[in-house]
Amino acid sequence: MQTPQTSFIRAFKDNYIWTLSSGPQTVVVDPGDAKPVLNWLKQNKRKLAGILLTHKHNDHTGGVAGLLAKFSVPVYGGANERIDSVTQPVAGGDTITLDALGGLEISVLDVPGHTLGHVAYYVPSQKWLFCGDLLFGAGCGRIFEGTAAQMYDSLQKIAALPDDTLIFCGHEYTLPNLKFAAAVEPENPAIEARVKESLAKRQKYLPTLPSTLAEEKATNPFLRADQETVMERMVALGRTADKTPLGAFTAVRTWKDDFVG
Ligand SMILES: [Zn+2]
């Protein structure tokens, strides 16, 4: 089997449509727009072999119809998310085998919170995680449909993956998220270091992603709610009286919702 490769296609203001390829065959994750995908396939002489959807929001699914008009391919998506275009509903614990990509296996994780039927796709052989709007560089998705407890549990599933897992998020939000991370943890030197690194990448118009899980665990306040310093600070700031990881997580998420950097 050829080693699979990943790349990215920019869409809208800050979306990334991630690609998985083996030879000429390509599977795309969350095509919010068809046009940039069709252009990319043409430029790179690739054929579309499938579509993976993490959740139903239009900036992640809006390009599916346009792609299906040109390619007849399977569309994978969360069974609980009820996306009309999905032909292969999947749920946590399922393994997808992508024959077009040399039998590449993908594990499905149920990660409700941002939406109730949100799923993430993990490629164990490469340690790649395609997580849509669950996790961002130094941040996490807004809780539109689930509860803070559901979002927290979903993030714990990600935290349990190997530390060198590469995290492919749906949006380029890392720098503004780091501003918030620094407000949560002003004393954390890893955040400052990541700001410098990310600024250097953005100045060259490069993505700050994928990140590694280790990097997120060191800088992402939503994966650090179990840290004594974070729990203490949320209580000290009067944002919660509940000095537990879930209490701190809920307080951090609520703070971020109206944080102006
Ligand atoms: Zn979304």
Side-chain angles (χ1 to χ4, degrees):
M1 161 182 157
Q2 268 179 299
T3 311
Q5 295 175 317
T6 58
S7 187
F8 64 94
I9 302 167
R10 297 178 202 276
F12 311 117
K13 195 168 140 257
D14 48 35
N15 283 67
Y16 291 126
I17 299 167
W18 297 102
T19 67
L20 294 88
S21 301
S22 180
Q25 304 286 345
T26 294
V27 168
V28 294
V29 185
D30 287 354
D33 194 2
K35 211 173 165 191
V37 176
L38 293 170
N39 287 341
W40 186 92
L41 291 167
K42 205 172 170 187
Q43 273 164 17
N44 293 278
K45 299 188 171 55
R46 300 264 167 83
K47 277 183 206 133
L48 191 68
I51 298 172
L52 299 173
L53 300 177
T54 62
H55 68 294
K56 65 190 174 190
H57 288 156
N58 200 48
D59 63 319
H60 294 254
T61 58
V64 173
L67 294 175
L68 292 180
K70 304 251 175 188
F71 298 93
S72 177
V73 297
V75 182
Y76 299 86
N80 299 323
E81 192 73 341
R82 298 176 200 282
I83 305 169
D84 288 345
S85 56
V86 166
T87 59
Q88 322 286 328
V90 292
D94 287 355
T95 299
I96 300 169
T97 305
L98 295 174
D99 292 330
L101 300 193
L104 189 71
E105 291 196 339
I106 299 184
S107 309
V108 180
L109 301 169
D110 278 327
V111 288
H114 180 68
T115 63
L116 282 176
H118 199 303
V119 294
Y121 299 99
Y122 179 62
V123 184
S125 64
Q126 311 298 317
K127 297 189 208 163
W128 290 341
L129 178 75
F130 299 91
C131 58
D133 288 356
L134 166 65
L135 187 66
F136 296 125
C140 80
R142 271 182 193 259
I143 301 170
F144 283 124
E145 295 183 355
T147 62
Q150 279 177 318
M151 191 63 155
Y152 183 79
D153 287 345
S154 295
L155 290 169
Q156 292 313 300
K157 291 182 193 172
I158 305 309
L161 295 172
D163 271 352
D164 55 349
T165 298
L166 292 177
I167 313 283
F168 297 82
C169 317
H171 292 267
E172 178 61 61
Y173 289 158
T174 309
L175 271 174
N177 282 343
L178 283 167
K179 217 176 216 185
F180 175 70
V184 176
E185 288 189 282
E187 312 277 313
N188 181 343
I191 293 173
E192 209 177 311
R194 193 171 179 189
V195 168
K196 276 189 195 145
E197 256 172 58
S198 303
L199 264 177
K201 285 182 182 156
R202 295 308 291 152
Q203 277 160 0
K204 293 183 203 155
Y205 194 46
L206 292 172
T208 59
L209 304 164
S211 57
T212 64
L213 182 57
E215 209 177 341
E216 297 304 336
K217 282 183 176 173
T219 58
N220 190 322
F222 299 100
L223 289 177
R224 296 178 57 76
D226 59 342
Q227 299 289 308
E228 192 63 28
T229 47
V230 174
M231 290 190 285
E232 258 169 27
R233 185 150 157 88
M234 288 304 108
V235 173
L237 290 175
R239 294 198 166 267
T240 183
D242 176 9
K243 207 190 139 191
T244 63
L246 178 59
F249 174 81
T250 307
V252 172
R253 189 54 262 177
T254 309
W255 183 7
K256 176 71 166 67
D257 283 344
D258 45 39
F259 179 77
V260 186

